[in-house]
Amino acid sequence: MAEALCNGVVASTCGGDVGVAGRARGAAAALSESVAMGGYSTRSSFSGGRMAVAEKKARPLPRTPEAAPGQMNLMVCKSMRWWEKGVQPNMREIESAQDLADSLLNAGDKLVIVDFFSPGCGGCRALHPKISQFAEKNPDVQFLQVNYEKHKSMCYSLHVHVLPFFRFYRGAQGRVSSFSCTNATIKKFKDALAKHGSDRCSLGPARGLDEAELMALAANRDLDFTYEKPGLVPLAEAIAMEAAAPGGPWLPLPASATQLLSQGSESPLLSTGR
């Protein structure tokens, strides 16, 4: 066969010589017999048997490394958590409306400053380092942070519509100050802190949120918050509750009240408060 290729003549299966086309076909057939190729094969009319046809696959292009969408969001979130920088032990982020109400009630006579902020608020971000400094210099003051983006519905119920926004609460007085300020008007914050942060003795338990605020939170169906308006109870029971309150009684009980406490009374009624 090799000799036939060299001479340029290939014998036909029907006999006789063939022309140039026949020579070309013969050369291709001869090569197919002598070269083994991988892949799948098909039957041919050539007497040599099967001719292998290799399937040529395209080589995949190299991919440039890209961050997954979840990883990108995580990176953005981490870079935006400026409100967690410089946090002092007396600073804490509020988790829910119930958490806010309970924190104010359990603060006792401490001054509590509620800081309403948003991660995308430029004024909040610029003011945060100074708030952290105030918290460091006033360890007896409790700072509660409320993320507006997490608790929009609660903020609406509390009538917070501008940021940054601050509310000051102190013992039995409840809310003592409420305002918005920025770096340019930080003096308002300093004055309120100096006025309401001084040592004092509160005549009664912590009041916390106003009754109107509590009712607004309870009426908000988006929140898991319940509140029942207090009713009237007998005077003797009210005196007993006051005496049993932490740190109570807040005022010395008169002789008549002590007598009612020992004997009991059903006719005089007082409001229980909260």
Side-chain angles (χ1 to χ4, degrees):
M1 179 64 69
E3 183 180 356
L5 285 174
C6 294
N7 295 330
V9 178
V10 179
S12 171
T13 54
C14 298
D17 291 343
V18 294
V20 175
R23 296 175 183 177
R25 286 196 300 270
L31 287 174
S32 66
E33 272 190 319
S34 59
V35 179
M37 302 177 67
Y40 60 89
S41 60
T42 58
R43 290 194 175 274
S44 171
S45 58
F46 182 66
S47 59
R50 296 183 178 183
M51 180 175 65
V53 179
E55 183 181 16
K56 187 175 182 180
K57 297 182 179 180
R59 300 178 67 182
L61 296 175
R63 297 182 59 186
T64 56
E66 296 181 357
Q71 293 176 340
M72 293 178 65
N73 293 336
L74 183 61
M75 292 170 63
V76 171
C77 291
K78 284 185 177 180
S79 63
M80 289 182 62
R81 288 188 175 276
W82 51 262
W83 60 93
E84 294 181 351
K85 297 179 180 179
V87 172
Q88 303 300 318
N90 55 335
M91 299 176 69
R92 185 173 69 84
E93 188 172 343
I94 289 298
E95 299 296 333
S96 64
Q98 191 66 54
D99 184 20
L100 175 62
D102 292 343
S103 298
L104 293 173
L105 285 178
N106 297 330
D109 195 36
K110 278 186 176 182
L111 174 64
V112 181
I113 300 176
V114 183
D115 175 9
F116 295 88
F117 74 95
S118 173
C121 171
C124 304
R125 182 170 187 170
L127 194 59
H128 177 72
K130 291 187 178 180
I131 300 301
S132 298
Q133 291 176 6
F134 286 131
E136 184 179 9
K137 295 177 181 179
N138 298 271
D140 294 333
V141 178
Q142 180 68 51
F143 288 76
L144 301 178
Q145 298 171 292
V146 179
N147 190 330
Y148 182 86
E149 296 302 325
K150 280 186 177 181
H151 307 290
K152 283 184 180 180
S153 188
M154 178 179 71
C155 292
Y156 287 153
S157 297
L158 297 177
H159 303 290
V160 176
H161 305 298
V162 61
L163 299 173
F165 195 77
F166 300 92
R167 280 186 176 164
F168 287 54
Y169 295 84
R170 183 70 187 262
Q173 294 180 273
R175 189 171 70 190
V176 294
S177 187
S178 180
F179 57 88
S180 176
C181 78
T182 61
N183 270 330
T185 57
I186 192 64
K187 188 177 183 300
K188 289 196 295 185
F189 190 96
K190 293 180 181 179
D191 293 343
L193 182 59
K195 179 180 179 180
H196 304 293
S198 58
D199 294 337
R200 66 180 70 177
C201 181
S202 181
L203 301 179
R207 181 180 178 183
L209 295 174
D210 295 336
E211 185 175 334
E213 294 174 327
L214 292 168
M215 294 181 68
L217 292 175
N220 191 332
R221 296 184 178 180
D222 295 334
L223 305 177
D224 185 13
F225 184 85
T226 56
Y227 169 72
E228 294 182 2
K229 191 174 181 178
L232 298 177
V233 299
L235 176 60
E237 184 178 343
I239 294 174
M241 292 172 59
E242 185 73 11
W250 298 97
L251 293 175
L253 297 177
S256 58
T258 307
Q259 185 179 1
L260 285 172
L261 184 58
S262 59
Q263 296 179 356
S265 174
E266 296 182 358
S267 53
L269 298 177
L270 288 178
S271 174
T272 59
R274 284 194 292 114

